[in-house]
Amino acid sequence: MNIGFIGTGNMGRILIESFIESNAANPSDITITNRTRPKAESLQKSYPSLHVASNASEVIHKSNIIFLCVKPLDIHPLLEKVRPLLKPHHCLISITSPISVKQLEELVDCQVARIIPSITNRAFSGVSLVTYGESCKQHYRLFLDHLLSKISIPLSIENNITRVSSDIVSCGPAFFSYLLQRFIDSAVEETEITKDQATKMISEMVVGFGKLLETNLYTLPTLQEKVCVKGGVTGEGIKVLEEHVGEMFNKVFQQTHAKYDEDLEKVGYQFNK
């Protein structure tokens, strides 16, 4: 199966590298293009048999499956240009949350899906969020599930939970990276530990924490109970978190959803005009 990528920015590059290095796809079966050609060519230096196309039309011509890895507001203008090239045997995949499979199906005469990846997929872990259009046939669904299972756990979602699912799966690593960095900075400010020492300890703690959750030995609440000895140090730390975290994450979801609604309105105008 020939796979094309239009756009090789952060997430496009992560998908390309992950598919190749997990042996989910051969570089020789992948054709890529980018508005800034050197970005695409830099990938080819790592994987010489990868094909670099001059434009989106060439990618479509050489591919069965086409990943759209461009910004949400760039998708409609792009599809207006190339939709005569998209035939029923093609499968078009958007990796952006504000555009629904229904909107894509109304614009193009090919099979469609939406796949929202995560940076954790680069380590062949985490979740990828999948929504198939009604037009997407079983052989493509099976192929894509197999492809994604090499780098993630594919999870099918409905459109109504797209944003919150993306917040958890795709934005979550950035949110918690920020919190961990603040954890490190505070440890350095309040004690004599060095930044390198704190970073090493916290990084290994997070890796171990993930492995512990993977065993299913503990749920998140029971894990807290195991570490929190009554009257102990951890309990005192939890008191501070309970006092100061408050509605912080509620506000995170409120803010991301407000931006999402703004993007939906802009995208909706493009698709409905």
Side-chain angles (χ1 to χ4, degrees):
M1 191 77 74
N2 293 320
I3 304 170
F5 285 85
I6 300 173
T8 59
N10 287 342
M11 292 314 300
R13 188 181 186 105
I14 283 170
L15 284 173
I16 294 163
E17 292 173 334
S18 300
F19 286 149
I20 292 171
E21 293 178 18
S22 67
N23 295 318
N26 294 318
S28 59
D29 294 331
I30 298 175
T31 302
I32 65 175
T33 193
N34 194 74
R35 186 165 49 189
T36 306
R37 188 179 175 93
K39 285 188 176 181
E41 291 174 340
S42 70
L43 270 166
Q44 192 181 46
K45 289 178 183 177
S46 299
Y47 313 104
S49 59
L50 196 69
H51 304 287
V52 175
S54 299
N55 51 50
S57 298
E58 188 180 342
V59 170
I60 293 169
H61 178 70
K62 293 183 176 181
S63 307
N64 307 105
I65 294 172
I66 302 105
F67 282 85
L68 294 178
C69 305
V70 299
K71 294 177 182 178
L73 292 178
D74 290 339
I75 288 181
H76 188 275
L78 171 64
L79 292 181
E80 284 284 8
K81 288 182 181 179
V82 302
R83 66 176 175 174
L85 305 175
L86 292 164
K87 306 302 181 184
H89 71 273
H90 286 120
C91 184
L92 183 71
I93 299 168
S94 166
I95 67 165
T96 186
S97 62
I99 297 176
S100 69
V101 292
K102 184 177 179 182
Q103 286 172 313
L104 292 173
E105 286 179 319
E106 289 173 351
L107 186 62
V108 297
D109 294 322
C110 67
Q111 301 171 61
V112 306
R114 181 176 61 196
I115 293 171
I116 300 172
S118 167
I119 195 171
T120 57
N121 301 162
R122 189 63 183 85
F124 315 147
S125 63
V127 168
S128 52
L129 303 170
V130 184
T131 306
Y132 290 116
E134 291 182 8
S135 60
C136 193
K137 295 181 180 177
Q138 187 68 5
H139 72 280
Y140 271 132
R141 296 185 187 216
L142 291 173
F143 178 81
L144 289 169
D145 280 346
H146 174 73
L147 189 72
L148 294 170
S149 68
K150 293 286 188 177
I151 66 167
S152 66
I153 297 173
L155 185 63
S156 179
I157 61 164
E158 298 299 326
N159 200 55
N160 64 321
I161 62 166
T162 296
R163 184 60 258 156
V164 67
S165 301
S166 300
D167 287 343
I168 294 169
V169 166
S170 193
C171 301
F175 295 154
F176 282 91
S177 291
Y178 176 80
L179 292 175
L180 289 169
Q181 190 60 58
R182 291 296 301 269
F183 195 16
I184 290 167
D185 293 343
S186 296
V188 173
E189 289 169 9
E190 297 294 330
T191 74
E192 295 179 2
I193 198 169
T194 68
K195 189 168 186 176
D196 286 346
Q197 288 173 321
T199 300
K200 175 67 174 176
M201 291 177 190
I202 287 175
S203 297
E204 292 300 329
M205 180 274 293
V206 171
V207 170
F209 178 60
K211 289 180 178 178
L212 188 60
L213 290 178
E214 198 171 35
T215 66
N216 290 319
L217 288 172
Y218 307 110
T219 63
L220 291 174
T222 57
L223 192 147
Q224 291 177 46
E225 291 171 9
K226 292 291 183 182
V227 179
C228 257
V229 178
K230 190 174 182 180
V233 172
T234 308
E236 291 303 308
I238 291 289
K239 285 181 184 178
V240 176
L241 293 175
E242 288 174 338
E243 181 180 352
H244 291 279
V245 170
E247 296 180 352
M248 179 181 71
F249 284 112
N250 297 75
K251 291 179 179 178
V252 167
F253 288 123
Q254 289 166 14
Q255 192 76 8
T256 58
H257 278 65
K259 180 61 170 70
Y260 181 58
D261 289 342
E262 182 183 315
D263 290 343
L264 285 177
E265 184 176 351
K266 291 177 180 177
V267 166
Y269 175 77
Q270 286 183 318
F271 277 81
N272 295 325
K273 67 181 178 181

